[in-house]
Amino acid sequence: MERLTGPSPLRGSNGIAFGPDGLLYVAEYLAGQVRTVDVHTGEVSVLIGADGPVQSPDDLAFDADGNLYVVDLAPGLVWRRTPAGELSVVAEGIRNPNGICCLGNRLFVNEMAFAGRVLEIGAGEPAVLAEGLMLGNAMQAGPDGRLYFPHMFPGSVHRVGPDGGEPELFADELPQTVAVRFDRDGVLHVLLVDENGTIVRIDGDRRTTITTGVPGLDNAAFSGDNRMFVSSFATAGITEVLPDGTTREIVPHGFAGPYGVAVDDDGKVHTADHYRIDRALLPFAHGLAASGDELHFTSQYGQTGTYDRISGSLRMREVALNHPLGIAVRPDGAVVIAESGAGRVLAITVDDTVEVLAEGLGRPAGVAVDAEGRCYVSDEENGAVHRLEDGKPVAVAEGLSAPQGLAVAGGRPVVVESGRRRLIALGPEPRVLASDLPVAPPRDPQPALMVHDLPGVPRPFAGLATGPDGALYLAGNAEGSILRI
């Protein structure tokens, strides 16, 4: 067994803020944890682990007394962590809390929701400062004492006084505005969501565009000596943006998952990493299968599609499935899909006809097809792997703990048993091929997949694929790696 990539130092990097100790604090939304980064050395340490109470941290801020506040998007909470390390909930019932900032010891939060709000969090019910946000996100108090916040779509920056009043449009024509940040000189930097990692610097009436090359920018923070650091929800890592627009990597980029893995006929390995397929920014891919120049994918949010990795074209195949996960390709070119939320296995033919291959399963996760066209499916809920015969599931293995990724190697189905972190070759005499694997078991509690009509937190999924050399390729989604076995 060898690691082809990783482990990733950060598993996604969303909100970032410098603390009183000079460390950069990082919210890892998908991994459900908060870490610190020493920007001088690149050292990464865990502050709030994935086994802690915070489910989906998206942004964070410090008040004047050094208390750390973290928004927890999926459950709608705001947490406070004192300098002594005590965690408590200071607000709940907020719709998709995302942007957060402090003005002295006053705490403000906005909602990444349609018709979202800017709120002040204090004793009693939150005070509403502004309404009608089109997806709020990272915000900050400006040098004038007012709160600056984005409307992500179509893209603009607004401001409002800390005691409320009529919000004012400050800047528009900023497509997909994800964050607003002031440097130590009071100059506003607006981060955009795109492939190029665009930042628009607004200094009075003058706008300057900086292209960082970091796709999926999420947030920025300025150190005490006015150095600018940015995060990426798509590629993780921490990057310094120098005054001339060039960049310097502080923490290497890596996987947020990965989830799906596929190997093409030439032996090239491809990944689906929630926000990306390979290097392309294509949310929210999870299952992945390769055939020729095409990569077929599923999204846990109901979509399946085909991405041409040469031309970059995208064709959606079905968009109303119930939590699809694993995907495989039959010899006739049809794609086979585990529709996890509906307990079914489907096939979508080359002319996009949908066929039901089996139903009545618990939570199908992985699918695989052998050289003869026989289909196998793992059932995560019931702990089994089945072979489909005339539309009926026939058990190949039972008593497994959360089986997920599935492949066929050497004529035998091989499954990722995520609950026991093992890889098992099935058959009359099952054989453990590898153990102590870096795969994540199901989360407990599992954050909501959808929150207020927007994507929440996906379920863990450890994909598995067979290469033309007969080796197995595993998505090491507990550490951000790809393993070859």
Side-chain angles (χ1 to χ4, degrees):
M1 183 169 64
E2 61 176 321
R3 283 180 172 83
L4 303 184
T5 66
S8 298
L10 290 172
R11 308 289 310 292
S13 53
N14 294 72
I16 56 175
F18 278 98
D21 54 7
L23 296 175
L24 185 66
Y25 287 69
V26 183
E28 295 175 84
Y29 173 72
L30 293 181
Q33 56 190 5
V34 176
R35 290 202 250 193
T36 61
V37 173
D38 185 326
V39 297
H40 302 288
T41 65
E43 181 182 355
V44 179
S45 302
V46 175
L47 182 77
I48 302 174
D51 56 350
V54 181
Q55 295 183 26
S56 48
D58 203 315
D59 203 358
L60 35 75
F62 285 90
D63 70 9
D65 291 334
N67 294 298
L68 172 64
Y69 293 90
V70 182
V71 290
D72 198 350
L73 188 145
L77 305 175
V78 179
W79 295 84
R80 177 174 58 216
R81 184 183 186 274
T82 68
E86 299 170 347
L87 267 173
S88 61
V89 173
V90 297
E92 55 188 344
I94 301 174
R95 292 185 304 150
N96 292 6
N98 194 314
I100 185 170
C101 67
C102 294
L103 190 57
N105 283 328
R106 296 176 68 179
L107 174 65
F108 303 91
V109 172
N110 68 35
E111 297 174 320
M112 194 176 87
F114 301 108
R117 303 171 297 171
V118 177
L119 307 169
E120 180 174 8
I121 306 299
E125 288 295 314
V128 179
L129 275 66
E131 299 180 278
L133 276 66
M134 183 54 73
L135 304 181
N137 216 298
M139 65 179 185
Q140 191 176 18
D144 58 0
R146 286 183 281 187
L147 304 176
Y148 288 71
F149 55 91
H151 288 219
M152 283 192 68
F153 295 99
S156 56
V157 177
H158 298 247
R159 62 185 178 184
V160 69
D163 297 317
E166 185 66 27
E168 174 189 352
L169 174 65
F170 179 76
D172 58 4
E173 298 182 357
L174 298 163
Q176 298 188 60
T177 309
V178 72
V180 293
R181 284 290 182 263
F182 287 91
D183 67 15
R184 300 292 175 173
D185 296 326
V187 177
L188 181 64
H189 294 71
V190 182
L191 280 63
L192 310 182
V193 177
D194 59 18
E195 291 270 6
N196 300 318
T198 303
I199 300 173
V200 179
R201 190 175 185 268
I202 301 177
D203 189 0
D205 294 331
R206 182 184 178 188
R207 292 191 181 192
T208 306
T209 299
I210 302 168
T211 302
T212 66
V214 180
L217 289 176
D218 190 279
N219 222 303
F222 288 87
S223 63
D225 54 358
N226 211 24
R227 295 165 62 192
M228 184 182 188
F229 300 86
V230 296
S231 62
S232 167
F233 65 83
T235 66
I238 297 295
T239 302
E240 182 178 5
V241 181
L242 302 175
D244 62 359
T246 59
T247 59
R248 184 170 72 94
E249 189 177 79
I250 303 298
V251 178
H253 299 277
F255 289 113
Y259 294 79
V261 60
V263 187
D264 63 26
D265 294 337
D266 297 326
K268 185 176 292 186
V269 181
H270 305 274
T271 57
D273 195 36
H274 188 66
Y275 298 114
R276 295 184 295 164
I277 295 179
D278 292 345
R279 295 184 181 273
L281 200 60
L282 290 171
F284 295 94
H286 290 94
L288 195 67
S291 61
D293 294 334
E294 295 182 327
L295 295 173
H296 310 282
F297 67 90
T298 64
S299 162
Q300 293 189 33
Y301 302 106
Q303 300 82 28
T304 181
T306 296
Y307 172 66
D308 189 306
R309 58 189 177 89
I310 304 301
S311 68
S313 62
L314 178 66
R315 177 166 66 99
M316 300 309 297
R317 310 288 295 275
E318 186 64 47
V319 296
L321 301 180
N322 188 344
H323 189 183
L325 276 179
I327 186 170
V329 182
R330 285 194 319 208
D332 63 359
V335 292
V336 178
I337 298 165
E339 191 182 13
S340 179
R344 305 190 300 178
V345 178
L346 308 176
I348 302 178
T349 65
V350 292
D351 63 358
D352 288 341
T353 300
V354 178
E355 305 171 350
V356 177
L357 302 183
E359 50 191 343
L361 299 167
R363 190 167 60 244
V367 288
V369 178
D370 66 16
E372 286 72 41
R374 292 174 296 197
C375 180
Y376 297 84
V377 57
S378 62
D379 189 331
E380 185 178 9
E381 181 177 281
N382 294 323
V385 172
H386 301 283
R387 182 175 61 249
L388 303 185
E389 296 183 1
D390 298 324
K392 303 293 184 183
V394 176
V396 175
E398 296 178 296
L400 303 175
S401 177
Q404 294 181 347
L406 194 62
V408 175
R412 300 174 65 176
V414 181
V415 66
V416 181
E417 190 185 20
S418 67
R420 298 188 177 102
R421 301 170 53 217
R422 303 188 301 182
L423 189 66
I424 304 176
L426 305 177
E429 297 181 3
R431 184 160 61 99
V432 175
L433 301 180
S435 56
D436 297 323
L437 294 172
V439 296
R443 293 176 67 173
D444 184 23
Q446 171 63 36
L449 182 65
M450 296 291 296
V451 283
H452 300 288
D453 300 321
L454 290 171
V457 181
R459 296 183 66 88
F461 178 69
L464 185 69
T466 307
D469 58 354
L472 290 155
Y473 295 80
L474 171 69
N477 64 349
E479 67 173 17
S481 66
I482 297 291
L483 293 89
R484 181 180 181 273
I485 301 164

